[in-house]
Amino acid sequence: MDEALSAWFRENGRDLPWRRTRDPYAVLVSELMLQQTQVERVIPRWLAWLERWPTVSALAAASPADAIREWQGLGYNRRALALHRTACMVAEHGWPADLTELPGVGRYTADAVRNFAFGDEVLPEDVNVRRVQERTGHWFRPEHAAALMDLGATVCLARVPRCGVCPLAAGCPSRGRRYEPLRKQSPFEGSFRQRRAAVLRLVAEAPQRLDELDGEVVGALSRDGLVRVEAGVVALPG
């Protein structure tokens, strides 16, 4: 199966800009942006971020407020704060041996940076990688990480896999199966997430009076470190 997957990837692999670098900072930015955000939306934002802050030191020298503003529109804004805190830590102390010590970096993200940036023999298992391995019953080597991600994202789909065009179909015990839909995230429209996004967008444009904002949302944003409240004024962290 490894050979079939490699051949498919050479012809069909996605040309993603973060796959052209071994810079751990650039790889980490892509991985954090890709959490909960579609690839097509991430590409231009990743390029813009790296143009503005091309190195860990450049981001560390910026303010948390600048990072939050640049992140607007990607959602889950705590990722921006985590990335800024990580940049500050790495700029001062270097990359730790255990990347999960960095803010916002869990097991998968740590393994992705280790594989794609440092070349470590570890397979980062996101939902696509796990799906392909579980359905085929085959455990692939770490060098196939990107191929597994692309196959899971474009062919071995969650509900209705495209088995007819899958390079692994001949030996796959799950060929032809269909799957129950996964539980979908609640609608954004009218949600607390939407209220958070709206308030944070206003504060990112300029400090706002507390009594003119949604107090419940401001409290949540403050607890997350995304805003500070002083003398009745809500602003981004300095």
Side-chain angles (χ1 to χ4, degrees):
M1 282 192 173
D2 296 74
E3 292 297 330
L5 179 62
S6 294
W8 176 86
F9 186 63
R10 285 193 294 270
E11 294 294 325
N12 301 281
R14 294 176 293 182
D15 182 21
L16 303 176
W18 44 85
R19 289 182 176 170
R20 305 175 205 145
T21 180
R22 285 282 190 171
D23 176 12
Y25 164 66
V27 172
L28 179 60
V29 173
S30 73
E31 290 296 335
L32 290 181
M33 285 187 173
L34 287 164
Q35 294 173 8
Q36 306 292 331
T37 307
Q38 295 176 334
V39 170
E40 292 74 16
R41 290 179 57 204
V42 167
I43 291 173
R45 301 300 297 274
W46 182 84
L47 292 170
W49 186 282
L50 269 294
E51 183 176 356
R52 183 171 184 180
W53 298 303
T55 65
V56 164
S57 298
L59 179 56
S63 69
D66 285 339
I68 293 169
R69 289 190 186 96
E70 187 66 29
W71 199 272
Q72 289 300 289
L74 285 171
Y76 298 92
N77 292 277
R78 281 176 292 183
R79 293 179 291 172
L81 270 185
L83 186 51
H84 184 267
R85 290 170 181 160
T86 286
C88 292
M89 290 177 61
V90 173
E92 184 174 357
H93 303 292
W95 293 92
D98 181 0
L99 297 178
T100 63
E101 295 175 2
L102 298 172
V105 176
R107 181 74 273 151
Y108 162 75
T109 302
D111 288 347
V113 175
R114 288 179 59 196
N115 182 304
F116 298 132
F118 295 115
D120 290 351
E121 287 290 311
V122 59
L123 180 66
E125 295 190 22
D126 70 354
V127 63
N128 290 313
V129 172
R130 287 196 301 271
R131 185 188 309 125
V132 174
Q133 294 201 133
E134 288 170 0
R135 288 178 179 175
T136 61
H138 183 80
W139 306 104
F140 292 85
R141 297 191 301 272
E143 61 262 33
H144 296 301
L148 288 168
M149 291 174 182
D150 284 7
L151 189 72
T154 64
V155 175
C156 191
L157 305 177
R159 289 190 58 194
V160 184
R162 302 171 60 217
C163 300
V165 296
C166 181
L168 310 181
C172 180
S174 302
R175 182 177 184 177
R177 286 189 58 187
R178 298 294 182 265
Y179 299 84
E180 291 296 319
L182 299 176
R183 182 178 62 86
K184 289 187 176 181
Q185 188 179 53
S186 57
F188 181 72
E189 190 68 30
S191 68
F192 189 70
R193 289 182 294 127
Q194 185 182 42
R195 289 162 57 195
R196 280 176 59 106
V199 170
L200 189 59
R201 191 180 307 113
L202 284 173
V203 177
E205 293 172 357
Q208 304 288 322
R209 289 172 52 90
L210 175 58
D211 58 11
E212 296 178 353
L213 298 175
D214 184 326
E216 183 184 11
V217 167
V218 171
L221 292 173
S222 178
R223 288 190 294 273
D224 288 341
L226 289 166
V227 301
R228 55 186 172 84
V229 182
E230 295 179 1
V233 175
V234 184
L236 294 182

